[in-house]
Amino acid sequence: MHTTHTIALPNRPPLILGQRALVMGILNVTPDSFSDGGQHNLIENAVAHAQAMIADGADIIDIGGESTRPGAALVSVQEELDRVMPVIDALVAAGITTPISIDSYKPLVADQAIQAGASIINDVHGLQGAPEMAEIAALHSVPVIAMHWDKVRDEAKPIIAEMARYFETTLALAKAVGVGRERIILDPGFGFGKSLAENYEVLRELTEVQPRGMPILVGTSRKSMIGRLLDIPADERLAGTIATTVAGYLKGGHIFRVHDVRANRDALRVAQATLYGPPTELG
Ligand code: 7PM
């Protein structure tokens, strides 16, 4: 049912993707996220939050300094660096060995973050925002999460086919600088330029995300595809999020980017036992 993949990371054991789903914990370091008083406090709180997510079973920590929400205020490179870099340094200083992904479409931010200890690029522009992004991935030999976000797409065209064309471009840009597809994780980009119906269509047809057989990340946590359906605010969307996580797993998803690590991980373990039986060792 799940395709299996071993994705090399620099200075770390590889990511093993397959029947055991990986959980990526979201660590937002925007001023509105951990801001009950100054920069020092923000860093301490961010590290504590990362440690709590790791204790809850996070396999990857995704750190982002710009709220990527469609329509959100843009943040300068310097501002994003100022937010993200002290936190990465503090995570490394705290001895955290859980792989860190950098949620940024800015090549300079990705480059600095990797030099400081991040080992995965999470690019919501799918390597199509800046030509240097693929080069940064090549330079550091890191994997890339390539998310679909096509701001100029023809909304009359079927989403799955449009996404396939988009990812063809992503893979070609990567290949041109020597980043093979064994280093790329596809992400359909839930909530990014898609209608409510399209978001659910993509979740339903997750195995049809092209090229088929590549690893897939699902990022639905607390998103409007849940909130609009149920008419509830972000802080009440956990049950809906878990439904999308389990649905995405049953449809072949490999990595789940979530705010609520423990609840989603528990649900994924139960879903895994349902598909494959309980793990023989620790799974
Ligand atoms: C609305 C839309 C509100 C998106 C909040 C968001 C993804 C990501 C984000 C994703 C990958 C959020 C976001 N979403 N990176 N960054 N995949 N790879 O929920 O779905 O944090 S931003």
Side-chain angles (χ1 to χ4, degrees), residues 36-50:
D36 42 345
Q39 169 84 347
H40 181 71
N41 196 256
L42 187 148
I43 295 167
E44 264 182 16
N45 290 342
V47 171
H49 185 54

mmCIF file with all atom_site columns, all heavy atoms in Angstrom, residues 36-50:
data_model
loop_
_atom_site.group_PDB
_atom_site.id
_atom_site.type_symbol
_atom_site.label_atom_id
_atom_site.label_alt_id
_atom_site.label_comp_id
_atom_site.label_asym_id
_atom_site.label_entity_id
_atom_site.label_seq_id
_atom_site.pdbx_PDB_ins_code
_atom_site.Cartn_x
_atom_site.Cartn_y
_atom_site.Cartn_z
_atom_site.occupancy
_atom_site.B_iso_or_equiv
_atom_site.pdbx_formal_charge
_atom_site.auth_seq_id
_atom_site.auth_comp_id
_atom_site.auth_asym_id
_atom_site.auth_atom_id
_atom_site.pdbx_PDB_model_num
ATOM 1   N N   . ASP A 1 36 ? 5.358  36.395 24.289 1.00 0.00 ? 36 ASP A N   1
ATOM 2   C CA  . ASP A 1 36 ? 4.924  37.004 25.548 1.00 0.00 ? 36 ASP A CA  1
ATOM 3   C C   . ASP A 1 36 ? 6.068  37.757 26.212 1.00 0.00 ? 36 ASP A C   1
ATOM 4   O O   . ASP A 1 36 ? 6.190  37.790 27.421 1.00 0.00 ? 36 ASP A O   1
ATOM 5   C CB  . ASP A 1 36 ? 4.302  35.963 26.478 1.00 0.00 ? 36 ASP A CB  1
ATOM 6   C CG  . ASP A 1 36 ? 5.070  34.664 26.501 1.00 0.00 ? 36 ASP A CG  1
ATOM 7   O OD1 . ASP A 1 36 ? 5.909  34.452 25.601 1.00 0.00 ? 36 ASP A OD1 1
ATOM 8   O OD2 . ASP A 1 36 ? 4.845  33.839 27.403 1.00 0.00 ? 36 ASP A OD2 1
ATOM 9   N N   . GLY A 1 37 ? 6.942  38.322 25.413 1.00 0.00 ? 37 GLY A N   1
ATOM 10  C CA  . GLY A 1 37 ? 7.932  39.223 25.976 1.00 0.00 ? 37 GLY A CA  1
ATOM 11  C C   . GLY A 1 37 ? 9.345  39.060 25.454 1.00 0.00 ? 37 GLY A C   1
ATOM 12  O O   . GLY A 1 37 ? 10.157 38.354 26.046 1.00 0.00 ? 37 GLY A O   1
ATOM 13  N N   . GLY A 1 38 ? 9.624  39.711 24.335 1.00 0.00 ? 38 GLY A N   1
ATOM 14  C CA  . GLY A 1 38 ? 11.006 39.860 23.896 1.00 0.00 ? 38 GLY A CA  1
ATOM 15  C C   . GLY A 1 38 ? 11.613 38.657 23.204 1.00 0.00 ? 38 GLY A C   1
ATOM 16  O O   . GLY A 1 38 ? 11.080 37.558 23.232 1.00 0.00 ? 38 GLY A O   1
ATOM 17  N N   . GLN A 1 39 ? 12.762 38.904 22.591 1.00 0.00 ? 39 GLN A N   1
ATOM 18  C CA  . GLN A 1 39 ? 13.461 37.921 21.755 1.00 0.00 ? 39 GLN A CA  1
ATOM 19  C C   . GLN A 1 39 ? 13.940 36.707 22.558 1.00 0.00 ? 39 GLN A C   1
ATOM 20  O O   . GLN A 1 39 ? 13.776 35.568 22.145 1.00 0.00 ? 39 GLN A O   1
ATOM 21  C CB  . GLN A 1 39 ? 14.644 38.634 21.070 1.00 0.00 ? 39 GLN A CB  1
ATOM 22  C CG  . GLN A 1 39 ? 15.633 37.729 20.378 1.00 0.00 ? 39 GLN A CG  1
ATOM 23  C CD  . GLN A 1 39 ? 15.169 37.359 18.970 1.00 0.00 ? 39 GLN A CD  1
ATOM 24  O OE1 . GLN A 1 39 ? 14.020 37.581 18.608 1.00 0.00 ? 39 GLN A OE1 1
ATOM 25  N NE2 . GLN A 1 39 ? 16.084 36.789 18.191 1.00 0.00 ? 39 GLN A NE2 1
ATOM 26  N N   . HIS A 1 40 ? 14.510 36.946 23.731 1.00 0.00 ? 40 HIS A N   1
ATOM 27  C CA  . HIS A 1 40 ? 15.058 35.858 24.531 1.00 0.00 ? 40 HIS A CA  1
ATOM 28  C C   . HIS A 1 40 ? 13.961 34.867 24.917 1.00 0.00 ? 40 HIS A C   1
ATOM 29  O O   . HIS A 1 40 ? 14.090 33.661 24.794 1.00 0.00 ? 40 HIS A O   1
ATOM 30  C CB  . HIS A 1 40 ? 15.736 36.420 25.786 1.00 0.00 ? 40 HIS A CB  1
ATOM 31  C CG  . HIS A 1 40 ? 16.342 35.368 26.656 1.00 0.00 ? 40 HIS A CG  1
ATOM 32  N ND1 . HIS A 1 40 ? 17.471 34.676 26.276 1.00 0.00 ? 40 HIS A ND1 1
ATOM 33  C CD2 . HIS A 1 40 ? 15.968 34.865 27.849 1.00 0.00 ? 40 HIS A CD2 1
ATOM 34  C CE1 . HIS A 1 40 ? 17.761 33.789 27.216 1.00 0.00 ? 40 HIS A CE1 1
ATOM 35  N NE2 . HIS A 1 40 ? 16.869 33.884 28.180 1.00 0.00 ? 40 HIS A NE2 1
ATOM 36  N N   . ASN A 1 41 ? 12.877 35.449 25.385 1.00 0.00 ? 41 ASN A N   1
ATOM 37  C CA  . ASN A 1 41 ? 11.715 34.665 25.765 1.00 0.00 ? 41 ASN A CA  1
ATOM 38  C C   . ASN A 1 41 ? 11.172 33.860 24.596 1.00 0.00 ? 41 ASN A C   1
ATOM 39  O O   . ASN A 1 41 ? 10.803 32.693 24.733 1.00 0.00 ? 41 ASN A O   1
ATOM 40  C CB  . ASN A 1 41 ? 10.660 35.640 26.286 1.00 0.00 ? 41 ASN A CB  1
ATOM 41  C CG  . ASN A 1 41 ? 9.579  34.920 27.052 1.00 0.00 ? 41 ASN A CG  1
ATOM 42  O OD1 . ASN A 1 41 ? 8.487  34.743 26.535 1.00 0.00 ? 41 ASN A OD1 1
ATOM 43  N ND2 . ASN A 1 41 ? 9.887  34.478 28.259 1.00 0.00 ? 41 ASN A ND2 1
ATOM 44  N N   . LEU A 1 42 ? 11.149 34.495 23.424 1.00 0.00 ? 42 LEU A N   1
ATOM 45  C CA  . LEU A 1 42 ? 10.659 33.839 22.213 1.00 0.00 ? 42 LEU A CA  1
ATOM 46  C C   . LEU A 1 42 ? 11.495 32.610 21.880 1.00 0.00 ? 42 LEU A C   1
ATOM 47  O O   . LEU A 1 42 ? 10.974 31.538 21.573 1.00 0.00 ? 42 LEU A O   1
ATOM 48  C CB  . LEU A 1 42 ? 10.678 34.838 21.061 1.00 0.00 ? 42 LEU A CB  1
ATOM 49  C CG  . LEU A 1 42 ? 10.063 34.424 19.721 1.00 0.00 ? 42 LEU A CG  1
ATOM 50  C CD1 . LEU A 1 42 ? 9.470  35.636 19.028 1.00 0.00 ? 42 LEU A CD1 1
ATOM 51  C CD2 . LEU A 1 42 ? 11.083 33.767 18.811 1.00 0.00 ? 42 LEU A CD2 1
ATOM 52  N N   . ILE A 1 43 ? 12.812 32.740 21.989 1.00 0.00 ? 43 ILE A N   1
ATOM 53  C CA  . ILE A 1 43 ? 13.701 31.619 21.666 1.00 0.00 ? 43 ILE A CA  1
ATOM 54  C C   . ILE A 1 43 ? 13.507 30.479 22.670 1.00 0.00 ? 43 ILE A C   1
ATOM 55  O O   . ILE A 1 43 ? 13.365 29.319 22.286 1.00 0.00 ? 43 ILE A O   1
ATOM 56  C CB  . ILE A 1 43 ? 15.174 32.094 21.641 1.00 0.00 ? 43 ILE A CB  1
ATOM 57  C CG1 . ILE A 1 43 ? 15.383 33.088 20.499 1.00 0.00 ? 43 ILE A CG1 1
ATOM 58  C CG2 . ILE A 1 43 ? 16.127 30.912 21.491 1.00 0.00 ? 43 ILE A CG2 1
ATOM 59  C CD1 . ILE A 1 43 ? 16.688 33.841 20.570 1.00 0.00 ? 43 ILE A CD1 1
ATOM 60  N N   . GLU A 1 44 ? 13.474 30.849 23.954 1.00 0.00 ? 44 GLU A N   1
ATOM 61  C CA  . GLU A 1 44 ? 13.264 29.814 24.990 1.00 0.00 ? 44 GLU A CA  1
ATOM 62  C C   . GLU A 1 44 ? 11.955 29.062 24.785 1.00 0.00 ? 44 GLU A C   1
ATOM 63  O O   . GLU A 1 44 ? 11.899 27.834 24.894 1.00 0.00 ? 44 GLU A O   1
ATOM 64  C CB  . GLU A 1 44 ? 13.252 30.460 26.377 1.00 0.00 ? 44 GLU A CB  1
ATOM 65  C CG  . GLU A 1 44 ? 14.588 30.403 27.061 1.00 0.00 ? 44 GLU A CG  1
ATOM 66  C CD  . GLU A 1 44 ? 14.552 31.013 28.449 1.00 0.00 ? 44 GLU A CD  1
ATOM 67  O OE1 . GLU A 1 44 ? 13.446 31.202 28.994 1.00 0.00 ? 44 GLU A OE1 1
ATOM 68  O OE2 . GLU A 1 44 ? 15.634 31.302 28.972 1.00 0.00 ? 44 GLU A OE2 1
ATOM 69  N N   . ASN A 1 45 ? 10.911 29.804 24.496 1.00 0.00 ? 45 ASN A N   1
ATOM 70  C CA  . ASN A 1 45 ? 9.606  29.169 24.283 1.00 0.00 ? 45 ASN A CA  1
ATOM 71  C C   . ASN A 1 45 ? 9.606  28.285 23.044 1.00 0.00 ? 45 ASN A C   1
ATOM 72  O O   . ASN A 1 45 ? 8.998  27.209 23.047 1.00 0.00 ? 45 ASN A O   1
ATOM 73  C CB  . ASN A 1 45 ? 8.507  30.234 24.153 1.00 0.00 ? 45 ASN A CB  1
ATOM 74  C CG  . ASN A 1 45 ? 8.221  30.935 25.466 1.00 0.00 ? 45 ASN A CG  1
ATOM 75  O OD1 . ASN A 1 45 ? 8.583  30.436 26.522 1.00 0.00 ? 45 ASN A OD1 1
ATOM 76  N ND2 . ASN A 1 45 ? 7.585  32.084 25.388 1.00 0.00 ? 45 ASN A ND2 1
ATOM 77  N N   . ALA A 1 46 ? 10.287 28.738 22.004 1.00 0.00 ? 46 ALA A N   1
ATOM 78  C CA  . ALA A 1 46 ? 10.346 27.949 20.774 1.00 0.00 ? 46 ALA A CA  1
ATOM 79  C C   . ALA A 1 46 ? 11.079 26.636 21.016 1.00 0.00 ? 46 ALA A C   1
ATOM 80  O O   . ALA A 1 46 ? 10.645 25.572 20.558 1.00 0.00 ? 46 ALA A O   1
ATOM 81  C CB  . ALA A 1 46 ? 11.010 28.754 19.660 1.00 0.00 ? 46 ALA A CB  1
ATOM 82  N N   . VAL A 1 47 ? 12.199 26.691 21.741 1.00 0.00 ? 47 VAL A N   1
ATOM 83  C CA  . VAL A 1 47 ? 12.952 25.469 22.037 1.00 0.00 ? 47 VAL A CA  1
ATOM 84  C C   . VAL A 1 47 ? 12.106 24.528 22.897 1.00 0.00 ? 47 VAL A C   1
ATOM 85  O O   . VAL A 1 47 ? 12.050 23.314 22.651 1.00 0.00 ? 47 VAL A O   1
ATOM 86  C CB  . VAL A 1 47 ? 14.297 25.789 22.725 1.00 0.00 ? 47 VAL A CB  1
ATOM 87  C CG1 . VAL A 1 47 ? 14.976 24.520 23.228 1.00 0.00 ? 47 VAL A CG1 1
ATOM 88  C CG2 . VAL A 1 47 ? 15.216 26.536 21.768 1.00 0.00 ? 47 VAL A CG2 1
ATOM 89  N N   . ALA A 1 48 ? 11.436 25.084 23.889 1.00 0.00 ? 48 ALA A N   1
ATOM 90  C CA  . ALA A 1 48 ? 10.584 24.256 24.755 1.00 0.00 ? 48 ALA A CA  1
ATOM 91  C C   . ALA A 1 48 ? 9.470  23.608 23.944 1.00 0.00 ? 48 ALA A C   1
ATOM 92  O O   . ALA A 1 48 ? 9.139  22.429 24.150 1.00 0.00 ? 48 ALA A O   1
ATOM 93  C CB  . ALA A 1 48 ? 9.991  25.119 25.878 1.00 0.00 ? 48 ALA A CB  1
ATOM 94  N N   . HIS A 1 49 ? 8.907  24.355 23.016 1.00 0.00 ? 49 HIS A N   1
ATOM 95  C CA  . HIS A 1 49 ? 7.835  23.801 22.189 1.00 0.00 ? 49 HIS A CA  1
ATOM 96  C C   . HIS A 1 49 ? 8.369  22.676 21.299 1.00 0.00 ? 49 HIS A C   1
ATOM 97  O O   . HIS A 1 49 ? 7.733  21.625 21.145 1.00 0.00 ? 49 HIS A O   1
ATOM 98  C CB  . HIS A 1 49 ? 7.192  24.904 21.361 1.00 0.00 ? 49 HIS A CB  1
ATOM 99  C CG  . HIS A 1 49 ? 5.999  24.456 20.576 1.00 0.00 ? 49 HIS A CG  1
ATOM 100 N ND1 . HIS A 1 49 ? 4.921  23.817 21.171 1.00 0.00 ? 49 HIS A ND1 1
ATOM 101 C CD2 . HIS A 1 49 ? 5.707  24.511 19.251 1.00 0.00 ? 49 HIS A CD2 1
ATOM 102 C CE1 . HIS A 1 49 ? 4.024  23.524 20.239 1.00 0.00 ? 49 HIS A CE1 1
ATOM 103 N NE2 . HIS A 1 49 ? 4.479  23.924 19.066 1.00 0.00 ? 49 HIS A NE2 1
ATOM 104 N N   . ALA A 1 50 ? 9.560  22.888 20.725 1.00 0.00 ? 50 ALA A N   1
ATOM 105 C CA  . ALA A 1 50 ? 10.169 21.831 19.897 1.00 0.00 ? 50 ALA A CA  1
ATOM 106 C C   . ALA A 1 50 ? 10.425 20.594 20.742 1.00 0.00 ? 50 ALA A C   1
ATOM 107 O O   . ALA A 1 50 ? 10.123 19.462 20.314 1.00 0.00 ? 50 ALA A O   1
ATOM 108 C CB  . ALA A 1 50 ? 11.480 22.335 19.274 1.00 0.00 ? 50 ALA A CB  1
#
